[in-house]
């Protein structure tokens, strides 16, 4: 039996319920530019259908909308359906070691973006990628996002 379009019920496909904001780093050296186009190429090479994060913040503080919020991300396995993914350019020192390399511009933009998202999704929790559980074996985002962005 072929289902007709008018038989579809939009209520059966509710909007995503956002409960979590996950902060990531691109895991690239702070002294080597990593553009949104390079990020997209990297994610496509890994088999993603575009960039897996919803937002990408470059070193100049520019916030790039890289994935519609209505679409589940591809940034934190097991957490994507109910989360928003934000990534900042950097996360590695010039020597390639994990480090909080956020610029003043990135910090200001991230704070503003989080404020905006929390207005839209007031009950969300902010965590760094590594803070999602013991099975995450990476330093991403290379700072304590949960502590820095906790709401008292």
């Amino acid at each position: 039996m072929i289902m007709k379009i008018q038989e579809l019920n939009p209520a059966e496909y509710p909007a995503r319920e956002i409960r979590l904001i996950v902060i990531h780093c691109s895991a690239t050296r702070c002294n080597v530019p990593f553009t949104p186009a390079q990020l997209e190429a990297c994610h496509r090479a890994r088999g993603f259908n575009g960039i897996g994060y919803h937002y990408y913040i470059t070193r100049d503080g520019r916030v790039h909308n890289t994935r519609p919020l209505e679409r589940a991300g591809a940034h934190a396995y097991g957490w994507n359906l109910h989360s928003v993914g934000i990534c900042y350019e950097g996360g590695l020192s010039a020597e390639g070691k994990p480090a909080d390399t956020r610029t003043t511009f990135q910090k200001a933009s991230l704070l503003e973006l989080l404020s905006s998202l929390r207005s839209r999704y007031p009950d969300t929790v902010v965590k760094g990628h590594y803070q999602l559980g013991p099975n995450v074996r990476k330093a991403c985002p290379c700072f304590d996002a949960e502590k820095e962005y906790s709401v008292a």
Side-chain angles (χ1 to χ4, degrees):
M1 175 181 154
I2 298 175
M3 182 181 286
K4 296 178 185 173
I5 289 274
Q6 61 266 28
E7 292 176 18
L8 294 176
N9 181 356
E12 294 176 13
Y13 303 95
R16 292 186 333 120
E17 181 183 346
I18 304 301
R19 300 182 205 141
L20 178 66
I21 299 170
V22 183
I23 311 295
H24 300 266
C25 65
S26 62
T28 54
R29 293 177 188 237
C30 63
N31 59 340
V32 179
F34 195 64
T35 67
Q38 289 171 301
L39 177 63
E40 182 168 6
C42 177
H43 280 208
R44 287 190 182 278
R46 293 172 57 195
F48 298 171
N49 184 11
I51 295 174
Y53 311 112
H54 295 93
Y55 299 97
Y56 184 54
I57 305 174
T58 47
R59 278 197 280 278
D60 59 5
R62 183 165 175 213
V63 177
H64 302 264
N65 296 319
T66 51
R67 189 181 197 92
L69 283 174
E70 296 75 32
R71 194 167 145 215
H75 59 92
Y77 183 76
W79 300 91
N80 290 317
L81 186 58
H82 300 292
S83 68
V84 172
I86 302 172
C87 179
Y88 75 92
E89 178 185 13
L92 298 179
S93 68
E95 296 75 32
K97 306 266 189 229
D100 181 0
T101 63
R102 291 174 296 158
T103 65
T104 302
F105 301 116
Q106 285 174 310
K107 288 179 181 182
S109 293
L110 181 54
L111 194 58
E112 188 175 326
L113 177 57
L114 288 172
S115 177
S116 174
L117 288 169
R118 282 180 160 156
S119 291
R120 185 170 178 178
Y121 309 109
D123 297 324
T124 55
V125 173
V126 176
K127 291 188 178 275
H129 189 185
Y130 80 91
Q131 295 170 317
L132 294 179
N135 293 332
V136 179
R137 293 181 172 84
K138 49 181 77 179
C140 176
C142 302
F143 71 95
D144 188 344
E146 191 171 25
K147 181 178 178 183
E148 188 166 331
Y149 299 114
S150 68
V151 179

